Amino acid sequence: MKEQTNYDYEKYVQIAQMAKMGWWESDLKNQEYICSDFIVDLLGLESNRISFTEFHQRIREDHRLRLKNEYMSLSYLETYEQMFPMQAKNKEIWVYSKICFQKPNKEGDRNMVGYLQCIDRPIDDPNKNIDFLQVNSLLYQQNSFIFITCFPAM
């Protein structure tokens, strides 16, 4: 059975690498993210931790304030997803990030766990270009609607 577990783990790692994605977990007590090896390599980090401030400073300025405000309002939302550009190893990349669940710690903080996926840059062709701010706004509204529908008394 242990051999099967190792085999499964290796396959999950291969699939995550092919999908260009890795996991992260927020550490509210220390105000930082704990990141998988993929994210450490993608962002060129020296360790598997990056402060909230440093991470948010890497987000392109025209997306930064909106994302920070939305993230700070997530105390009761179980899921949240966004696409945004950010700085990684001296170049701009686009990422898709999703909060998958919240995990309370011993102090009662609701640490979040999610994934970050490197995605293709949006198309520059005006006939094919998607308004990513509009898409992100719709995703945020959808998440808010789900929260209100599922938790109306909160």
Side-chain angles (χ1 to χ4, degrees), residues 57-129:
Q57 287 299 317
R58 289 173 176 252
I59 297 171
R60 196 169 74 194
E61 191 173 358
D62 58 328
H63 291 256
R64 195 177 301 150
L65 182 60
R66 177 184 54 82
L67 289 169
K68 184 177 182 181
N69 288 340
E70 289 174 5
Y71 185 80
M72 297 310 242
S73 69
L74 294 175
S75 58
Y76 292 103
L77 283 179
E78 291 295 322
T79 143
Y80 174 76
E81 53 194 302
Q82 287 291 325
M83 294 177 283
F84 52 91
M86 66 183 304
Q87 203 60 32
K89 291 186 177 177
N90 299 318
K91 66 179 182 176
E92 183 178 278
I93 60 170
W94 277 80
V95 296
Y96 170 80
S97 185
K98 182 173 183 177
I99 295 171
C100 297
F101 61 91
Q102 295 185 19
K103 184 174 93 173
N105 64 12
K106 293 175 186 175
E107 290 82 28
D109 295 322
R110 295 171 59 101
N111 290 326
M112 297 174 204
V113 177
Y115 66 88
L116 185 102
Q117 182 175 21
C118 188
I119 59 175
D120 293 333
R121 186 176 160 274
I123 301 167
D124 288 333
D125 182 348
N127 297 324
K128 297 180 182 178
N129 198 10

